[in-house]
């Protein structure tokens, strides 16, 4: 494979040869005295294309020597130059009986096909990379090349084609019916491949990302202008036709040179608008002419109708092109409706990614992301965090959830005010969906926690009944069996048995009370620990008839708590509040719950009379202390910072996870 240096050298030589066709042809025309005729004919257009395509092909080939588009531009320019030079020489040779006049006429009448048709059938499928990726694309390029070849062969072997170059000349290679068949087959195949190539380019334009989108849009825009300009007579058509090689060169080498999307939008709008005006004008004129006598009325009526219909047509075209280039920024209602349809149609697990994708689609952005605080990031498309990305905070009811970020459409493209306003409309909808998904996840986690707590409580009760209460009740039954015959035969022994059984029955009663006290309260399953503490505080306030105000403070979110720790914290808080009501004679009491990943801390502080100088653990304090220390926690009770009583209990969490 030749290296880049040799390829650049070959490109330079080929470009020089193509451009050399221009001065050679002009010299021949000047010698024949036909310089003015050449400038105003199709040969002048061919020379202009040879110059522009040759220079553009040299530029692309020098910058990207392995890109086939540079060589294709040189081929197009060379064919135009050769066709113009051959036609000019053929006319000169026919007038002066110079050699090879007929050969030059055949070349001039057929080679020009390779200077025009491959623009759409070959160059467009290869743009912008210069490669045919995939078998389908290679077939498309092959058929696109075959059409012009058949058409050129048909023209070269036609008996009439050389008459356009040298009137009255005879084609020595005329093939009659074969020539006509080749020309028809080549023309039909070329036309079909033009349609396929344009449709394929539009499909790629809609799906492409930067910079391929800018490169394709440049080429399509200038091709529209070139073929529209090709309908005008020479030499005016030279300017639009020369735009094509410039577009290819800029697209390959300097695709960021101009603000492409403004050019694309205006070109598409005015091209479509012009076509609409012409259609309406011609149609109106024909209809009015059929209904009226030959007078200026049909033309005036057509002009009036075109003027009336022009503004709404322009508005519709503007909106359609804006949607193509910029998305739904001009129609926020449609963007919100599209997002709503995503919400209705998607599964719960795909809901948030789907609405984020709807935002990217509405803004015609290559990617977007939902950056949630404390939760995994949801990304769609080709999202990559950059300094130029468009960001919008996500919040619901004053609660910050995260940030919505959108990737820029192009490396140097700025976000417009309309883009930001559209994101302002869409971001609250995304925030609501994100909050709903988060709540659904929290409900699922709470349900799992309830199921796990219920299972753990069932296992604890089974163990308590099997290991403690069951043997105690069995012992009581055996003692009663022994006491029954002793009542008649040994009254003294029976009395001793009954006293021991009474003691065991009391111990069993305490065991039953202990098991009941250890049951997990239902309110924990319904409201969680924070909700249960608030409910307990309200109950204490109601029972005190307003004499005691209870304030409960809990974290915004609690970490997952072991069921036994959660139940112990609730029991300790309830017992502490009961002691405040019974003994403290307080006016105000605060219950403060705090949690870290390692520890749960409960503080109950009142403004009452406080503890005596030498406090002793009663039944209530002893019960609370046991509940805390049994689970490996610490328990402390004493005077508060502003008198009153402060109770503090802490349970470890890290070991129990």
């Amino acid at each position: 494979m030749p290296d880049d240096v040799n390829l650049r050298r070959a490109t330079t030589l080929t470009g020089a040869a193509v451009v050399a066709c221009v001065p050679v042809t002009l010299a021949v025309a000047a010698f024949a005295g036909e310089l003015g005729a050449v400038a105003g004919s199709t040969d002048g257009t061919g020379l202009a294309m040879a110059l522009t395509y040759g220079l553009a092909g040299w530029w692309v080939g020098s910058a990207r020597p392995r890109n086939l588009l540079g060589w294709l531009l040189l081929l197009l320019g060379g064919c135009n130059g050769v066709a113009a030079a051959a036609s000019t020489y053929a006319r000169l040779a026919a007038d002066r009986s110079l050699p090879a006049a007929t050969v030059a006429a055949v070349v001039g009448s057929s080679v020009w096909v390779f200077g025009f048709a491959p623009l759409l059938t070959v160059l467009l499928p290869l743009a912008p990379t210069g490669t045919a990726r995939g078998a389908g694309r290679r077939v498309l390029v092959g058929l696109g090349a075959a059409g012009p070849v058949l058409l050129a062969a048909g023209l070269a072997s036609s008996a009439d084609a050389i008459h356009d170059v040298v009137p009255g000349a005879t084609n020595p290679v005329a093939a009659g019916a074969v020539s006509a068949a080749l020309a028809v087959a080549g023309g039909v195949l070329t036309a079909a491949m033009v349609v396929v190539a344009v449709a394929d380019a539009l499909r790629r334009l809609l799906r492409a990302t930067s910079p391929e989108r800018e490169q394709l849009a440049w080429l399509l825009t200038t091709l529209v202008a070139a073929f529209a300009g090709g309908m005008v007579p020479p030499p005016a058509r030279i300017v639009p036709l020369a735009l094509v090689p410039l577009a290819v060169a800029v697209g390959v080498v300097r695709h960021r040179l101009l603000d492409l999307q403004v050019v694309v939008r205006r070109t598409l709008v005015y091209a479509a608008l012009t076509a609409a005006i012409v259609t309406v004008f011609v149609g109106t004129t024909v209809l009015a002419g059929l209904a009226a006598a030959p007078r200026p009325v049909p033309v005036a009526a057509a002009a009036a109708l075109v003027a009336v219909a022009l503004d709404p047509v322009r508005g519709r075209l503007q909106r359609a092109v804006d949607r193509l280039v910029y998305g739904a920024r001009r129609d926020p209602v449609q963007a919100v409706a599209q997002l709503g349809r995503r919400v209705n149609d998607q599964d719960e697990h795909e809901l948030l990614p789907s609405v984020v994708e709807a935002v990217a689609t509405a803004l015609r952005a290559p990617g977007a992301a939902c950056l949630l605080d404390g939760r995994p990031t949801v990304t769609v498309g080709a999202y990559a965090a950059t300094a130029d990305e468009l960001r919008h905070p996500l919040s619901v009811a004053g609660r910050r959830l995260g940030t919505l970020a959108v990737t820029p459409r192009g490396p140097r493209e700025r976000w417009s005010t309309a883009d930001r306003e559209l994101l302002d409309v869409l971001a609250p909808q995304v925030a609501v969906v994100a909050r709903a998904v988060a709540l659904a996840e929290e409900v699922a986690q709470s349900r799992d926690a309830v199921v796990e707590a219920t299972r753990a409580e069932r296992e604890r009760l089974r163990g308590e009944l099997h290991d403690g209460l069951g043997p105690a009740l069995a012992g009581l039954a055996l003692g009663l069996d022994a006491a029954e015959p002793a009542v008649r035969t040994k009254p003294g022994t029976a009395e001793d048995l009954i006293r021991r059984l009474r003691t065991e029955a009391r111990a069993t009663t305490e065991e039953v009370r202990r098991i009941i006290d250890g049951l997990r309260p239902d309110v924990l399953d319904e409201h969680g620990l924070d909700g249960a503490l608030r409910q307990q505080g309200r109950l204490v306030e109601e029972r005190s008839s307003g004499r005691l105000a209870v304030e409960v403070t809990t974290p915004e979110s609690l970490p997952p708590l072991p069921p036994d720790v959660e139940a112990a914290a609730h029991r300790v808080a309830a017992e502490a509040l009961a002691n405040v009501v019974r003994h403290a004679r307080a006016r105000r009491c605060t219950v403060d719950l705090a949690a870290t990943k390692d520890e749960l801390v409960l503080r109950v502080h009142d403004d009452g009379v406080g503890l005596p100088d030498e406090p002793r653990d009663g039944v209530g304090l002893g019960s609370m202390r046991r509940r805390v220390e049994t689970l490996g926690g610490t328990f402390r009770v004493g005077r508060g910072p502003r008198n009153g009583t402060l109770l503090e209990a802490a349970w470890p969490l890290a070991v129990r996870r």
Side-chain angles (χ1 to χ4, degrees):
M1 179 181 293
D3 56 21
D4 290 352
V5 175
N6 291 333
L7 286 175
R8 288 190 177 93
R9 194 170 298 161
T11 301
T12 302
L13 293 175
T14 306
V18 172
V19 174
C21 293
V22 178
V24 170
T25 305
L26 293 177
V28 172
F31 176 77
E34 298 182 359
L35 189 60
V38 169
S41 67
T42 56
D43 291 339
T45 303
L47 291 177
M49 293 183 66
L51 179 63
T52 55
Y53 279 68
L55 293 175
W58 168 79
W59 183 20
V60 174
S62 299
R64 306 283 190 272
R66 298 186 184 276
N67 193 313
L68 293 180
L69 294 182
W71 293 99
L72 185 58
L73 290 176
L74 291 174
L75 174 64
L76 293 171
C79 290
N80 278 287
V82 168
S87 298
T88 303
Y89 175 78
R91 287 190 292 269
L92 174 63
D95 292 341
R96 292 171 172 77
S97 300
L98 296 177
T102 304
V103 175
V106 171
V107 172
S109 65
S110 58
V111 173
W112 66 268
V113 173
F114 298 110
F116 286 93
L119 282 176
L120 291 176
T121 61
V122 178
L123 187 146
L124 192 55
L126 288 177
T129 61
T131 58
R133 301 172 183 170
R137 184 61 53 78
R138 287 192 289 271
V139 171
L140 179 62
V141 172
L143 292 176
V149 170
L150 293 175
L151 181 58
L155 292 175
S157 59
S158 170
D160 300 324
I162 64 172
H163 294 170
D164 295 333
V165 179
V166 179
T170 302
N171 188 351
V173 293
V178 174
S179 171
L182 289 174
V184 171
V188 171
L189 181 58
T190 300
M193 296 316 299
V194 166
V195 174
V196 174
V198 171
D200 175 70
L202 291 174
R203 178 188 63 81
R204 287 188 289 145
L205 176 65
L206 294 176
R207 297 182 179 181
T209 58
S210 182
E212 184 177 350
R213 181 174 55 192
E214 285 83 355
Q215 295 168 323
L216 275 174
W218 259 119
L219 183 57
L220 284 172
T221 302
T222 51
L223 282 174
V224 170
F227 277 85
M231 300 177 184
V232 301
R237 71 176 63 169
I238 293 175
V239 175
L241 289 174
L243 291 176
V244 177
L246 176 63
V248 175
V250 170
V252 174
V253 182
R254 297 287 299 277
H255 62 272
R256 301 178 187 176
L257 187 62
L258 299 175
D259 188 358
L260 173 68
Q261 291 188 342
V262 174
V263 177
V264 173
R265 184 178 68 169
R266 292 177 180 174
T267 301
L268 292 177
V269 167
Y270 291 118
L273 187 58
T274 302
I277 292 173
V278 172
T279 302
V280 173
F281 185 83
V282 172
T284 305
T285 303
V286 171
L287 292 177
L290 294 176
R295 60 183 64 176
V297 174
V299 177
L305 289 176
V306 169
V308 172
L310 179 61
D311 189 65
V313 170
R314 186 206 62 78
R316 289 179 179 273
L317 287 173
Q318 185 72 63
R319 289 191 294 272
V321 173
D322 277 343
R323 283 195 298 271
L324 172 65
V325 179
Y326 293 107
R329 73 179 193 181
R330 293 290 183 91
D331 192 358
V333 175
Q334 182 187 10
V336 173
Q338 176 65 24
L339 192 146
R341 286 191 290 271
R342 296 287 187 99
V343 173
N344 290 332
D345 298 339
Q346 291 297 322
D347 183 74
E348 178 180 333
H349 300 290
E350 299 296 329
L351 187 56
L352 189 55
S354 180
V355 297
V356 175
E357 183 181 4
V359 172
T361 301
L363 288 167
R364 280 292 187 270
C370 185
L371 312 172
L372 299 177
D373 297 338
R375 293 179 178 273
T377 298
V378 177
T379 61
V380 297
Y383 172 76
T386 63
D388 299 330
E389 67 183 8
L390 186 59
R391 284 176 164 256
H392 196 288
L394 298 176
S395 59
V396 174
R399 179 178 180 179
R400 176 67 180 266
L401 302 179
T403 303
L404 181 63
V406 184
T407 302
R409 285 184 286 261
R412 299 179 60 185
E413 184 172 353
R414 297 180 180 274
W415 294 106
S416 66
T417 302
D419 293 326
R420 299 179 186 277
E421 291 176 350
L422 178 59
L423 193 62
D424 289 342
V425 173
L426 296 178
Q429 318 303 322
V430 178
V432 170
V433 172
R435 180 58 178 160
V437 171
L439 288 175
E441 293 177 356
E442 291 176 5
V443 169
Q445 292 174 359
S446 299
R447 183 173 59 249
D448 294 341
V450 169
V451 171
E452 177 61 24
T454 303
R455 184 197 63 78
E457 190 70 9
R458 185 181 296 111
E459 293 295 328
R460 188 188 68 82
L461 282 176
R462 182 182 292 113
E464 295 278 3
L465 294 176
H466 180 271
D467 299 335
L469 188 59
L473 292 177
L476 285 176
L478 291 175
L480 290 174
D481 290 341
E484 182 180 4
V487 169
R488 294 189 297 269
T489 58
K490 298 178 180 179
T493 302
E495 290 179 0
D496 293 338
L497 284 172
I498 290 172
R499 282 193 294 270
R500 287 199 299 271
L501 290 174
R502 184 185 296 113
T503 302
E504 292 180 8
R506 289 173 179 169
T508 302
T509 302
E510 292 295 327
E511 179 69 12
V512 171
R513 185 177 291 112
R514 185 186 65 79
I515 293 174
I516 292 174
D517 288 343
L519 287 176
R520 178 180 175 86
D522 292 338
V523 69
L524 291 177
D525 294 335
E526 296 176 5
H527 304 289
L529 180 57
D530 50 352
L533 293 181
R534 292 190 180 91
Q535 183 174 346
Q536 185 68 27
R538 289 192 295 268
L539 289 175
V540 170
E541 286 184 338
E542 293 173 0
R543 291 171 183 172
S544 67
S545 301
R547 293 190 302 273
L548 177 65
V550 179
E551 179 183 353
V552 178
T553 304
T554 62
E556 185 175 345
S557 62
L558 287 171
L561 300 175
D564 49 357
V565 171
E566 199 173 28
H570 179 261
R571 295 287 189 188
V572 169
E575 184 68 26
L577 288 173
N579 284 344
V580 171
V581 173
R582 287 195 296 264
H583 308 297
R585 298 198 297 275
R587 302 287 297 174
R588 185 172 179 273
C589 178
T590 60
V591 179
D592 182 24
L593 186 69
T596 66
K597 64 179 182 179
D598 298 321
E599 189 178 46
L600 178 70
V601 179
L602 173 69
R603 296 182 181 89
V604 181
H605 180 221
D606 64 71
D607 61 354
V609 298
L611 294 173
D613 294 336
E614 296 182 2
R616 292 182 301 173
D617 281 0
V619 175
L621 287 177
S623 175
M624 287 188 284
R625 188 182 299 277
R626 284 193 300 272
R627 290 183 187 280
V628 177
E629 293 178 350
T630 300
L631 298 175
T634 58
F635 180 83
R636 187 180 69 85
V637 63
R639 288 189 177 275
R642 294 182 298 275
N643 295 324
T645 304
L646 174 63
L647 181 148
E648 182 176 286
W651 292 267
L653 299 179
V655 177
R656 294 178 171 272
R657 287 193 175 178

